[in-house]
Amino acid sequence: MFGSKQKKIDRLDFAIIGAQKSGTTALHYLLGKHPQISLGDQQEMHFFDDEAVFSKPPDYDLLHRHYPLVAASVVAGECTPSYLYWKPAAERMHQYHAGIKLIALLRNPVDRAFAHWNMQRFKGREPLDFLDAIAAESPRIAPPLSLQSRRFSYVDRGFYTEQLTRFLQFFPKEQLRIIKFEEWKNRPLDTINSIFQFLGLKLLPAVRSRDRNIVPYEREMTSNERKHVSRIFAQEIEKLESLLGWDCADWKW
């Protein structure tokens, strides 16, 4: 269909960089339905947030070996939601490929924090209740770039403005496609086609969506919990509205 000449992947064309618990697994699934996209043999490569890889000059073949030979018209990408949060990732990705296109999904940080906590509870990693876990977060994630900072950063991951600004120091805005979670959830076909356009690919007439990576909730967030965490993020949401020109009234308490 796209010609017989095939190429070896020697650099990625795009990456989904986050945010965690914001619909990235479903996006990865749908992007994989496009015949001109290669996503490799696993969803989360965790290459640019691997401190062992970058403790010495990085061997990019460790990343590229996950991709088969592809037609010349195919673009290659990956999806690791922690890249947005992982402080060294932006510079590492720029050094790897300054022209790489980046996709970020942003969810109400209050709901994202609760979903993150619930996931850790489901996996048996979190003995603390939600507000207790938030109270304990700062000392838990104090060791930088640690397993604890990856697992227990319920609130810290929700400060999107700082994270996006870090990427914008290395990449022009034109290389970032930033999507509000509600836009993705309510208009998945329009959103996925806008991403295909962003990647320079043909649109698909229909893409069947499905929920992915759904973790059952042990309970709902209480009104007091939402009020408490909303106070934490009140100024952050206003900063994000200013940075992106978004209306996030639906994210506010």
Side-chain angles (χ1 to χ4, degrees), residues 4-252:
S4 59
K5 187 176 180 181
Q6 292 190 313
K7 65 179 180 179
K8 180 182 178 181
I9 298 300
D10 58 6
R11 69 179 186 182
L12 299 185
D13 300 287
F14 73 93
I16 303 168
I17 59 174
Q20 184 195 45
K21 306 308 297 178
S22 299
T24 55
T25 299
L27 178 57
H28 176 271
Y29 170 79
L30 290 180
L31 288 178
K33 296 300 182 183
H34 198 291
Q36 289 177 274
I37 291 178
S38 175
L39 292 170
D41 59 10
Q42 66 187 58
Q43 179 177 334
E44 297 188 20
M45 300 295 181
H46 283 292
F47 183 81
F48 296 102
D49 61 357
D50 189 327
E51 297 309 302
V53 167
F54 286 89
S55 64
K56 53 186 179 295
D59 179 3
Y60 297 124
D61 283 340
L62 295 174
L63 174 63
H64 301 150
R65 70 185 182 185
H66 290 282
Y67 296 81
L69 293 174
V70 296
S73 59
V74 167
V75 298
E78 75 125 320
C79 173
T80 301
S82 60
Y83 288 165
L84 182 65
Y85 177 67
W86 210 251
K87 288 184 178 180
E91 184 173 10
R92 291 169 179 173
M93 297 179 83
H94 183 264
Q95 291 173 345
Y96 165 73
H97 180 198
I100 193 170
K101 293 183 178 181
L102 305 170
I103 302 166
L105 291 167
L106 303 183
R107 183 179 187 178
N108 181 337
V110 179
D111 293 325
R112 197 223 67 81
F114 190 75
H116 185 175
W117 169 82
N118 181 75
M119 179 182 70
Q120 297 295 64
R121 294 279 283 191
F122 179 77
K123 292 181 176 181
R125 296 171 177 167
E126 179 55 87
L128 301 178
D129 204 11
F130 182 47
L131 292 186
D132 293 332
I134 288 175
E137 179 172 329
S138 291
R140 276 172 144 185
I141 69 172
L145 307 178
S146 64
L147 182 62
Q148 287 85 354
S149 69
R150 195 187 297 277
R151 287 183 174 177
F152 301 123
S153 46
Y154 307 122
V155 168
D156 203 39
R157 284 183 190 251
F159 290 95
Y160 303 134
T161 304
E162 177 187 345
Q163 297 166 37
L164 291 171
T165 299
R166 193 159 56 236
F167 273 87
L168 290 169
Q169 290 174 345
F170 294 98
F171 299 97
K173 283 186 176 181
E174 295 74 26
Q175 282 176 226
L176 273 73
R177 175 74 171 92
I178 304 169
I179 301 162
K180 196 177 181 188
F181 174 79
E182 288 75 16
E183 172 190 343
W184 167 234
K185 184 178 180 180
N186 296 329
R187 302 199 313 275
L189 182 58
D190 291 342
T191 306
I192 195 73
N193 275 327
S194 75
I195 294 172
F196 292 150
Q197 284 183 313
F198 173 66
L199 297 176
L201 303 175
K202 68 176 185 178
L203 307 188
L204 298 183
V207 182
R208 180 172 294 179
S209 180
R210 72 171 65 171
D211 291 331
R212 312 288 291 184
N213 197 28
I214 300 300
V215 174
Y217 276 68
E218 64 174 51
R219 64 172 179 82
E220 295 183 356
M221 191 181 343
T222 69
S223 176
N224 284 338
E225 288 171 336
R226 180 172 292 278
K227 185 183 297 185
H228 176 80
V229 183
S230 293
R231 289 195 192 102
I232 294 174
F233 286 118
Q235 289 186 334
E236 164 60 24
I237 292 173
E238 291 182 359
K239 289 180 182 178
L240 190 71
E241 287 179 313
S242 178
L243 177 67
L244 300 179
W246 284 6
D247 178 0
C248 295
D250 55 327
W251 286 9
K252 299 174 183 177

